[in-house]
Amino acid sequence: MRAVLFRARERILHQRTELVNALRAVLYEYGQVIPQGIGHIKRIEAIVEDAEIGLPELVREECRDLLAQIGEKTARIAEKTKKLTDLSRQSETARRLQTMPGVGPLIALAVEAFAPAMQSFRCGRNFAAWLGLVPRQFSSGGKERLGRVSKAGQADIRRLLIIGAMARVSWAGRKPPAQGSWLSRMLAKKPRMLVAIALANKMGREIWAMLTKQEDYRDPALAVVA
């Protein structure tokens, strides 16, 4: 049931993205360049209704029709998200996973719906590899070098973990992590996107540990202080 609802929400998300891109393409033909993302929809609405922008009336009508379809998809996404959030409150596994920073109802339910039993993985690294979050290794002259992540694993959980990791990285920009912590050291020497992928890998390993040990998340920084 969780997987069906999750897939339904993802399908509507893809449909909304296609509609937003179609709307951006129409406006681009008339000199209006809009960045990608649903976050710019208010700006698009303002452009469509701005009488001083020389859009033909037929084009305005088509843009309004696309905006109406986007609004309908947004309402359906919100409805599916609420159902998933309600389901996450009924599951002990989902509750436990959400004790980790960056893990919300969608990530928790995706793990529960799509991941096999954690006991089928020998260690956390194996689970992260199954997700496609472990960098490829290249050996030459006795030296190991890490390449890009393979992206060959479970795409739903991997994508959501990276989004959750990016949220943690962005939060760290506003409220710096403890000095000397893993995240602090990584942000000091690596690009933010690379740090987010490394953090998603780390989160995958921690999820394996939490579920195999049946424990809530424990902040490593606090554990060291204790």
Side-chain angles (χ1 to χ4, degrees), residues 171-225:
W171 177 251
R174 297 190 293 273
K175 185 179 180 182
Q179 194 163 2
S181 65
W182 178 88
L183 186 54
S184 175
R185 296 196 308 272
M186 287 291 289
L187 286 170
K189 60 184 180 181
K190 300 289 184 181
R192 287 160 60 90
M193 190 61 205
L194 201 154
V195 173
I197 294 172
L199 179 56
N201 179 327
K202 189 176 178 67
M203 289 167 68
R205 298 180 187 216
E206 290 170 339
I207 285 172
W208 176 86
M210 290 165 63
L211 296 185
T212 52
K213 297 176 183 177
Q214 295 293 293
E215 293 179 350
D216 288 1
Y217 177 78
R218 293 187 296 176
D219 190 330
L222 295 180
V224 170
V225 171

Side-chain angles (χ1 to χ4, degrees), residues 69-88:
Q69 293 182 61
I70 291 166
E72 185 266 338
K73 299 293 183 190
T74 299
R76 290 181 64 192
I77 291 166
E79 179 187 350
K80 303 289 185 190
T81 302
K82 184 179 183 304
K83 286 181 180 179
L84 286 166
T85 302
D86 291 343
L87 279 173
S88 74

